[in-house]
Amino acid sequence: MSTKPIFKEFFANSDLNAPIILQAFSDLYGCIYLNDNNHPCIGFLPDHYVLFKNKKWQYFQKNGFNQYKETNDNASLSHTFPIHPDEVQSTQTGFEGGYMGFIDYNFAASQFISSPGLNQPQVYLGCYHSYLKKEQSAWFFYSHNDAITAQQDLLYLKQKLEQYLKDPAQQLDRFSLNQKCAAKWSKAQYQHAFQRIQDYIIAGDCYQINLTQAFTAEATGSLIHTAEQFWQLTQAPYSGYLKLDEFELLSCSPELFIEFSTQQKLITKPIKGTMPRDADPVQDQINKQQLINSTKDQAENLMIVDLLRNDLSVYAEIGSVKTPQLFAIESFNQVHHMVSEIHATLKADVNPLNLLLSALPGGSITGAPKIRAMQIIEELEAAPRGAYCGSMGYFNFNGTGSWNILIRSIQKYQNQLSIWAGGGITIASDCDAEYQECLDKVSAMLELINTWQRETL
């Protein structure tokens, strides 16, 4: 099959945003949205997909419209989702048909340590031959399928959208919280974990640990009803959404993990170092300058840069790993972040999916040295992270693609919802400041999610 889409047609105008389309397609299995640094795309009805849940791999093949049958395929992921690097796609940016999904933190960590996961999907990867893409303020339908199949799919999607627009309430249960989303840890529990990390650092076990905590609630209805408000709030370049039956993942991530570019080029942009934004422009600039001048944050950032350089070097051409940018400041709606950038060239015989799996979890959300950091995280954190700190993204059929780090993200399975936040702890860290940094990162999201709290009599 050619990697170039063979069918393209105008789908909808700019008045229809991604959350509306996703709500209309809520019953289509594997519906997934990626902002992809302002190159939005929506995948639906994968040709086949793989799911890892409850310590078991499951493979499914499409055998009818929105119907899937489990198969006995036990092939490796790289065989099930082949890459064809010699195929040349169009010059457009972003998704052009291929593989979309997510990999959660505990699955990735379990490659190196014992890291039991949550009772929810831990890996999902689907092969998408048809998708929507926003270009010049309008949505277009693309397909690699034959023209007759593509036309049938397009007609069905337009009918689904028209039906939804006539009666939006018919599609999904409205989202609501049964109680306020609040921290699972008390501050005293956070302080205890912080001190244990200091003890490990003094003992020589580690240099840095990314300590995170969960904010949880019980909820009903679908997270997609909150997406528009969250994405407007955060303006996150690597936001996304995925629904798999009772599991939903809503990402407001600002962090790129790895971008796979043409000619085997790799880019990773770890975030380490945070200061809150301020409504007063003068104070906001003071906060930004304080981050620029912070030797503590620079040291923390450099540790992760070194870790990621090492992770990439395993599969990169010798001498290709470079660091063209250190300690740049990127400003988002709620926080300023310190961001560095690393480039490398992937070896020609390496499947990009294998690199992605081996490099996860990302160093910016584990610590250094990486394996010992993950062991300490497993010991100290109160619960499995699940999708949080995993990765969500895509590969085109030719191996180009983009994957984020799932920070600032909400996961919901059945009626259990969680939002997480954390930060890197070093010997120079102050407990109160690190605790406040957690709140700075997540406070705006908590305030928004709690507007959906159900009124009680």
Side-chain angles (χ1 to χ4, degrees):
M1 182 193 70
S2 170
T3 60
K4 293 183 179 180
I6 61 174
F7 186 92
K8 175 182 178 180
E9 186 170 321
F10 175 76
F11 181 76
N13 61 33
S14 58
D15 294 334
L16 294 179
N17 57 28
I20 290 176
I21 296 173
L22 290 166
Q23 289 173 43
F25 295 170
S26 63
D27 62 343
L28 300 183
Y29 189 85
C31 200
I32 182 171
Y33 165 80
L34 298 171
N35 182 56
D36 189 26
N37 201 17
N38 299 315
H39 297 97
C41 61
I42 297 174
F44 46 85
L45 298 177
D47 180 68
H48 59 271
Y49 68 89
V50 62
L51 189 70
F52 185 80
K53 180 183 176 182
N54 296 331
K55 302 180 181 180
K56 178 183 177 183
W57 287 104
Q58 294 176 283
Y59 296 81
F60 294 86
Q61 183 72 41
K62 187 178 179 183
N63 66 341
F65 190 87
N66 204 26
Q67 295 180 342
Y68 294 88
K69 180 180 180 180
E70 187 170 1
T71 70
N72 295 321
D73 190 352
N74 292 315
S76 65
L77 287 182
S78 58
H79 176 79
T80 305
F81 301 98
I83 297 296
H84 305 285
D86 295 333
E87 292 280 2
V88 178
Q89 293 183 232
S90 74
T91 58
Q92 295 180 356
T93 304
F95 186 71
E96 295 194 271
Y99 316 119
M100 306 171 79
F102 89 104
I103 301 162
D104 91 349
Y105 171 85
N106 298 101
F107 174 86
S110 66
Q111 300 175 103
F112 308 99
I113 66 168
S114 175
S115 183
L118 294 171
N119 180 30
Q120 64 185 38
Q122 291 189 263
V123 178
Y124 168 81
L125 197 61
C127 178
Y128 291 84
H129 290 150
S130 298
Y131 54 96
L132 301 180
K133 194 169 180 181
K134 196 168 189 180
E135 299 169 351
Q136 299 177 343
S137 299
W139 289 93
F140 289 85
F141 171 86
Y142 285 89
S143 182
H144 295 260
N145 294 321
D146 63 86
I148 294 176
T149 301
Q151 285 281 12
Q152 291 173 341
D153 287 351
L154 177 60
L155 178 62
Y156 178 85
L157 295 175
K158 287 186 172 181
Q159 289 174 343
K160 288 283 292 181
L161 185 58
E162 290 171 1
Q163 291 170 1
Y164 177 79
L165 294 175
K166 289 178 182 178
D167 184 13
Q170 68 178 329
Q171 292 291 320
L172 295 170
D173 293 333
R174 288 289 164 178
F175 177 81
S176 66
L177 293 181
N178 296 341
Q179 78 279 336
K180 182 179 179 181
C181 187
K184 195 167 183 178
W185 270 353
S186 66
K187 187 173 182 181
Q189 288 173 303
Y190 180 89
Q191 291 170 330
H192 173 75
F194 178 93
Q195 187 54 53
R196 291 291 297 127
I197 290 172
Q198 294 298 311
D199 294 341
Y200 277 125
I201 294 173
I202 292 170
D205 281 62
C206 56
Y207 307 105
Q208 179 183 155
I209 299 294
N210 195 75
L211 180 65
T212 70
Q213 58 176 317
F215 300 78
T216 62
E218 290 188 357
T220 58
S222 175
L223 270 177
I224 191 57
H225 288 298
T226 73
E228 182 174 4
Q229 292 94 322
F230 271 109
W231 292 335
Q232 288 177 348
L233 173 72
T234 58
Q235 296 294 306
Y238 298 100
S239 58
Y241 174 79
L242 172 64
K243 182 177 185 294
L244 303 170
D245 296 327
E246 297 180 292
F247 174 75
E248 286 182 281
L249 177 57
L250 178 64
S251 175
C252 302
S253 176
E255 184 168 0
L256 171 69
F257 180 42
I258 303 179
E259 179 180 312
F260 297 80
S261 300
T262 56
Q263 298 179 332
Q264 305 291 97
K265 300 300 182 184
L266 306 172
I267 301 173
T268 183
K269 296 178 66 175
I271 291 176
K272 267 289 165 253
T274 302
M275 282 293 291
R277 300 297 304 267
D278 197 284
D280 178 6
V282 175
Q283 184 59 51
D284 190 57
Q285 185 59 39
I286 291 173
N287 289 357
K288 183 177 180 180
Q289 193 62 47
Q290 184 176 338
L291 183 58
I292 292 171
N293 297 336
S294 172
T295 55
K296 178 258 184 189
D297 286 300
Q298 289 179 4
E300 185 179 328
N301 191 289
L302 189 59
M303 288 182 197
I304 301 306
V305 167
D306 287 343
L307 189 158
L308 285 169
R309 284 175 57 89
N310 181 71
D311 282 352
L312 293 184
S313 68
V314 175
Y315 293 107
E317 296 285 358
I318 295 175
S320 70
V321 181
K322 309 291 184 184
T323 310
Q325 179 174 278
L326 275 175
F327 314 144
I329 306 300
E330 294 186 6
S331 299
F332 300 90
N333 283 14
Q334 282 78 48
V335 293
H336 301 289
H337 277 313
M338 183 177 287
V339 184
S340 294
E341 189 168 313
I342 305 162
H343 293 187
T345 301
L346 185 66
K347 293 177 181 177
D349 60 345
V350 174
N351 186 315
L353 179 57
N354 291 338
L355 167 63
L356 177 70
L357 290 169
S358 70
L360 286 170
S364 65
I365 45 76
T366 56
K370 190 172 179 178
I371 292 178
R372 186 66 182 115
M374 289 187 287
Q375 291 171 336
I376 294 171
I377 287 169
E378 199 69 33
E379 173 193 337
L380 297 180
E381 291 188 354
R385 292 179 175 182
Y388 172 70
C389 288
S391 184
M392 183 179 192
Y394 72 93
F395 284 116
N396 289 317
F397 288 121
N398 70 347
T400 58
S402 178
W403 292 78
N404 71 6
I405 292 286
L406 280 167
I407 57 174
R408 317 287 197 278
S409 298
I410 309 170
Q411 55 189 322
K412 178 177 176 287
Y413 181 63
Q414 297 175 343
N415 68 342
Q416 299 298 310
L417 177 143
S418 65
I419 305 174
W420 292 66
I425 310 300
T426 68
I427 194 64
S429 295
D430 174 80
C431 185
D432 289 340
E434 294 293 343
Y435 185 78
Q436 184 59 46
E437 181 178 316
C438 285
L439 300 182
D440 290 340
K441 289 174 176 176
V442 80
S443 59
M445 293 184 68
L446 286 177
E447 184 177 346
L448 177 57
I449 196 73
N450 283 327
T451 64
W452 280 280
Q453 185 178 353
R454 180 180 299 162
E455 294 183 4
T456 56
L457 298 177

